[in-house]
Amino acid sequence: MRSLLLIACCCLLSACQAQKLDPPAQRLAGTWTSTFNGAVVDLIAEDDTSGVYIVQPPTEDRTSFTGTFSATQTRLTIVNDDNGPCPGTEGEYEFAILNGVMQLTVKSDDCESRSEGTDYAWTRMFRNSN
């Protein structure tokens, strides 16, 4: 009886272990669209913790802009290049991804125009491979 109980406990413990998450930049990589205004951002991982991004603003009268990002398991730091709003200003956000939806929450960002449009849910876009 004890052997059966020990085996059952071992099976339960192994089933309850958390699955290992991909590195942060890999989890963030992809194309995301804003549920707030329809902006689209492509996050391109360069290594496990950093990469570049390209933003396509929601209005056609604004041109795309780029920047860089770095990430930990729950924090995202972004910096727009010279062609975006608030060039060189760093913004820090907390993020969580669940079922293809990323929620960003502003922790600190002196660039008001960026933080207003970023502090919302973003949906991962899947492109047709045809």
Side-chain angles (χ1 to χ4, degrees), residues 5-36:
L5 185 58
L6 181 59
I7 291 170
C9 287
C10 288
C11 289
L12 284 173
L13 286 175
S14 64
C16 292
Q17 276 186 329
Q19 292 181 348
K20 184 178 176 189
L21 293 175
D22 287 335
Q26 301 300 324
R27 287 190 300 131
L28 290 163
T31 302
W32 300 86
T33 186
S34 169
T35 59
F36 170 65

Short mmCIF file of all heavy atoms in Angstrom, two decimals, residues 5-36:
data_model
loop_
_atom_site.label_atom_id
_atom_site.label_comp_id
_atom_site.label_asym_id
_atom_site.label_seq_id
_atom_site.Cartn_x
_atom_site.Cartn_y
_atom_site.Cartn_z
N LEU A 5 1.06 4.42 -2.73
CA LEU A 5 0.91 5.81 -2.31
C LEU A 5 2.13 6.64 -2.73
O LEU A 5 1.99 7.76 -3.21
CB LEU A 5 0.71 5.88 -0.79
CG LEU A 5 0.43 7.25 -0.20
CD1 LEU A 5 -0.82 7.87 -0.83
CD2 LEU A 5 0.26 7.15 1.30
N LEU A 6 3.32 6.08 -2.58
CA LEU A 6 4.55 6.77 -2.98
C LEU A 6 4.56 7.02 -4.50
O LEU A 6 4.90 8.11 -4.96
CB LEU A 6 5.77 5.97 -2.55
CG LEU A 6 7.14 6.57 -2.88
CD1 LEU A 6 7.28 7.94 -2.23
CD2 LEU A 6 8.25 5.66 -2.45
N ILE A 7 4.18 6.02 -5.27
CA ILE A 7 4.14 6.17 -6.73
C ILE A 7 3.12 7.24 -7.12
O ILE A 7 3.38 8.08 -7.97
CB ILE A 7 3.82 4.82 -7.40
CG1 ILE A 7 5.00 3.86 -7.23
CG2 ILE A 7 3.49 5.00 -8.88
CD1 ILE A 7 4.72 2.44 -7.64
N ALA A 8 1.96 7.23 -6.48
CA ALA A 8 0.92 8.22 -6.78
C ALA A 8 1.42 9.63 -6.46
O ALA A 8 1.19 10.57 -7.22
CB ALA A 8 -0.35 7.91 -6.01
N CYS A 9 2.09 9.79 -5.33
CA CYS A 9 2.63 11.11 -4.95
C CYS A 9 3.68 11.59 -5.95
O CYS A 9 3.69 12.76 -6.34
CB CYS A 9 3.22 11.06 -3.55
SG CYS A 9 1.97 10.97 -2.25
N CYS A 10 4.55 10.70 -6.39
CA CYS A 10 5.57 11.07 -7.37
C CYS A 10 4.94 11.49 -8.69
O CYS A 10 5.37 12.47 -9.31
CB CYS A 10 6.54 9.91 -7.59
SG CYS A 10 7.64 9.62 -6.20
N CYS A 11 3.91 10.77 -9.10
CA CYS A 11 3.22 11.13 -10.34
C CYS A 11 2.55 12.48 -10.22
O CYS A 11 2.59 13.30 -11.15
CB CYS A 11 2.19 10.06 -10.71
SG CYS A 11 2.95 8.51 -11.25
N LEU A 12 1.93 12.75 -9.09
CA LEU A 12 1.27 14.04 -8.88
C LEU A 12 2.28 15.18 -8.87
O LEU A 12 2.04 16.24 -9.45
CB LEU A 12 0.47 14.05 -7.58
CG LEU A 12 -0.85 13.30 -7.62
CD1 LEU A 12 -1.46 13.24 -6.22
CD2 LEU A 12 -1.81 13.97 -8.57
N LEU A 13 3.41 14.99 -8.20
CA LEU A 13 4.42 16.04 -8.15
C LEU A 13 4.97 16.35 -9.54
O LEU A 13 5.15 17.51 -9.89
CB LEU A 13 5.56 15.64 -7.21
CG LEU A 13 5.23 15.72 -5.73
CD1 LEU A 13 6.41 15.19 -4.91
CD2 LEU A 13 4.89 17.14 -5.32
N SER A 14 5.24 15.34 -10.33
CA SER A 14 5.78 15.60 -11.67
C SER A 14 4.73 16.25 -12.55
O SER A 14 5.05 17.06 -13.42
CB SER A 14 6.32 14.32 -12.29
OG SER A 14 5.26 13.40 -12.49
N ALA A 15 3.46 15.93 -12.37
CA ALA A 15 2.40 16.54 -13.17
C ALA A 15 2.18 18.00 -12.79
O ALA A 15 1.74 18.80 -13.60
CB ALA A 15 1.10 15.76 -13.01
N CYS A 16 2.47 18.37 -11.56
CA CYS A 16 2.24 19.73 -11.08
C CYS A 16 3.41 20.66 -11.35
O CYS A 16 3.31 21.86 -11.13
CB CYS A 16 1.96 19.71 -9.58
SG CYS A 16 0.40 18.92 -9.17
N GLN A 17 4.55 20.13 -11.79
CA GLN A 17 5.69 21.00 -12.06
C GLN A 17 5.36 21.98 -13.16
O GLN A 17 4.69 21.65 -14.13
CB GLN A 17 6.90 20.18 -12.50
CG GLN A 17 7.69 19.63 -11.36
CD GLN A 17 8.95 18.96 -11.87
OE1 GLN A 17 9.00 18.43 -12.97
NE2 GLN A 17 9.98 18.99 -11.05
N ALA A 18 5.82 23.21 -12.99
CA ALA A 18 5.58 24.25 -14.01
C ALA A 18 6.39 23.93 -15.25
O ALA A 18 7.51 23.46 -15.19
CB ALA A 18 5.97 25.60 -13.46
N GLN A 19 5.78 24.20 -16.40
CA GLN A 19 6.50 24.02 -17.64
C GLN A 19 7.49 25.16 -17.80
O GLN A 19 7.23 26.29 -17.42
CB GLN A 19 5.54 24.01 -18.82
CG GLN A 19 4.65 22.81 -18.85
CD GLN A 19 3.73 22.83 -20.06
OE1 GLN A 19 3.60 23.82 -20.74
NE2 GLN A 19 3.10 21.71 -20.31
N LYS A 20 8.63 24.85 -18.37
CA LYS A 20 9.66 25.85 -18.59
C LYS A 20 9.22 26.80 -19.69
O LYS A 20 8.78 26.38 -20.76
CB LYS A 20 10.97 25.18 -18.97
CG LYS A 20 12.10 26.16 -19.11
CD LYS A 20 13.38 25.47 -19.43
CE LYS A 20 14.44 26.53 -19.65
NZ LYS A 20 15.66 25.99 -20.16
N LEU A 21 9.31 28.09 -19.42
CA LEU A 21 8.95 29.11 -20.41
C LEU A 21 10.09 29.33 -21.38
O LEU A 21 11.26 29.20 -21.03
CB LEU A 21 8.64 30.43 -19.71
CG LEU A 21 7.41 30.49 -18.83
CD1 LEU A 21 7.33 31.84 -18.14
CD2 LEU A 21 6.15 30.24 -19.63
N ASP A 22 9.73 29.68 -22.62
CA ASP A 22 10.74 30.10 -23.58
C ASP A 22 11.40 31.37 -23.06
O ASP A 22 10.82 32.10 -22.25
CB ASP A 22 10.10 30.40 -24.94
CG ASP A 22 9.67 29.13 -25.67
OD1 ASP A 22 10.25 28.06 -25.40
OD2 ASP A 22 8.76 29.22 -26.51
N PRO A 23 12.60 31.71 -23.56
CA PRO A 23 13.23 32.97 -23.17
C PRO A 23 12.29 34.14 -23.49
O PRO A 23 11.50 34.07 -24.44
CB PRO A 23 14.49 33.02 -24.03
CG PRO A 23 14.78 31.60 -24.36
CD PRO A 23 13.43 30.93 -24.47
N PRO A 24 12.37 35.22 -22.73
CA PRO A 24 11.42 36.33 -22.88
C PRO A 24 11.33 36.91 -24.29
O PRO A 24 10.22 37.13 -24.79
CB PRO A 24 11.91 37.38 -21.90
CG PRO A 24 13.00 36.80 -21.12
CD PRO A 24 13.33 35.47 -21.68
N ALA A 25 12.44 37.14 -24.95
CA ALA A 25 12.39 37.73 -26.29
C ALA A 25 11.73 36.77 -27.28
O ALA A 25 11.03 37.20 -28.19
CB ALA A 25 13.78 38.12 -26.77
N GLN A 26 11.91 35.49 -27.08
CA GLN A 26 11.29 34.51 -27.96
C GLN A 26 9.77 34.46 -27.75
O GLN A 26 9.01 34.29 -28.69
CB GLN A 26 11.89 33.11 -27.73
CG GLN A 26 13.38 33.02 -27.96
CD GLN A 26 13.77 33.39 -29.38
OE1 GLN A 26 13.07 33.09 -30.32
NE2 GLN A 26 14.90 34.06 -29.51
N ARG A 27 9.33 34.61 -26.50
CA ARG A 27 7.89 34.64 -26.22
C ARG A 27 7.23 35.89 -26.80
O ARG A 27 6.10 35.86 -27.23
CB ARG A 27 7.62 34.58 -24.71
CG ARG A 27 7.90 33.21 -24.14
CD ARG A 27 7.42 33.06 -22.71
NE ARG A 27 8.03 34.00 -21.81
CZ ARG A 27 7.37 34.76 -20.94
NH1 ARG A 27 6.07 34.69 -20.85
NH2 ARG A 27 8.01 35.58 -20.15
N LEU A 28 7.96 37.00 -26.81
CA LEU A 28 7.43 38.26 -27.33
C LEU A 28 7.47 38.33 -28.85
O LEU A 28 6.69 39.07 -29.45
CB LEU A 28 8.23 39.43 -26.75
CG LEU A 28 8.02 39.71 -25.27
CD1 LEU A 28 9.14 40.61 -24.74
CD2 LEU A 28 6.66 40.34 -25.04
N ALA A 29 8.36 37.59 -29.47
CA ALA A 29 8.55 37.67 -30.92
C ALA A 29 7.27 37.35 -31.67
O ALA A 29 6.53 36.43 -31.33
CB ALA A 29 9.66 36.72 -31.36
N GLY A 30 7.00 38.16 -32.68
CA GLY A 30 5.82 37.96 -33.51
C GLY A 30 5.19 39.28 -33.87
O GLY A 30 5.72 40.36 -33.61
N THR A 31 4.02 39.20 -34.50
CA THR A 31 3.28 40.39 -34.90
C THR A 31 2.09 40.53 -33.98
O THR A 31 1.31 39.58 -33.80
CB THR A 31 2.82 40.26 -36.36
OG1 THR A 31 3.98 40.07 -37.18
CG2 THR A 31 2.08 41.51 -36.82
N TRP A 32 1.93 41.72 -33.41
CA TRP A 32 0.87 42.00 -32.44
C TRP A 32 0.06 43.20 -32.91
O TRP A 32 0.61 44.14 -33.47
CB TRP A 32 1.48 42.32 -31.07
CG TRP A 32 2.30 41.22 -30.50
CD1 TRP A 32 3.63 40.96 -30.73
CD2 TRP A 32 1.86 40.20 -29.60
NE1 TRP A 32 4.03 39.87 -30.02
CE2 TRP A 32 2.97 39.37 -29.31
CE3 TRP A 32 0.64 39.91 -28.99
CZ2 TRP A 32 2.89 38.28 -28.45
CZ3 TRP A 32 0.55 38.83 -28.14
CH2 TRP A 32 1.67 38.02 -27.87
N THR A 33 -1.24 43.18 -32.64
CA THR A 33 -2.09 44.32 -32.97
C THR A 33 -2.77 44.83 -31.71
O THR A 33 -3.17 44.05 -30.84
CB THR A 33 -3.13 43.97 -34.06
OG1 THR A 33 -3.83 45.15 -34.43
CG2 THR A 33 -4.10 42.91 -33.61
N SER A 34 -2.88 46.13 -31.61
CA SER A 34 -3.45 46.77 -30.43
C SER A 34 -4.97 46.67 -30.44
O SER A 34 -5.62 46.99 -31.44
CB SER A 34 -3.06 48.25 -30.40
OG SER A 34 -3.80 48.94 -29.41
N THR A 35 -5.55 46.27 -29.32
CA THR A 35 -7.01 46.25 -29.18
C THR A 35 -7.54 47.66 -28.95
O THR A 35 -8.73 47.91 -29.10
CB THR A 35 -7.45 45.34 -28.02
OG1 THR A 35 -6.85 45.82 -26.81
CG2 THR A 35 -7.05 43.90 -28.27
N PHE A 36 -6.65 48.60 -28.64
CA PHE A 36 -7.04 49.98 -28.37
C PHE A 36 -7.23 50.78 -29.65
O PHE A 36 -8.24 51.42 -29.86
CB PHE A 36 -6.00 50.64 -27.47
CG PHE A 36 -6.16 52.12 -27.31
CD1 PHE A 36 -7.27 52.65 -26.66
CD2 PHE A 36 -5.21 53.00 -27.80
CE1 PHE A 36 -7.43 54.03 -26.51
CE2 PHE A 36 -5.35 54.37 -27.64
CZ PHE A 36 -6.46 54.88 -27.00
#
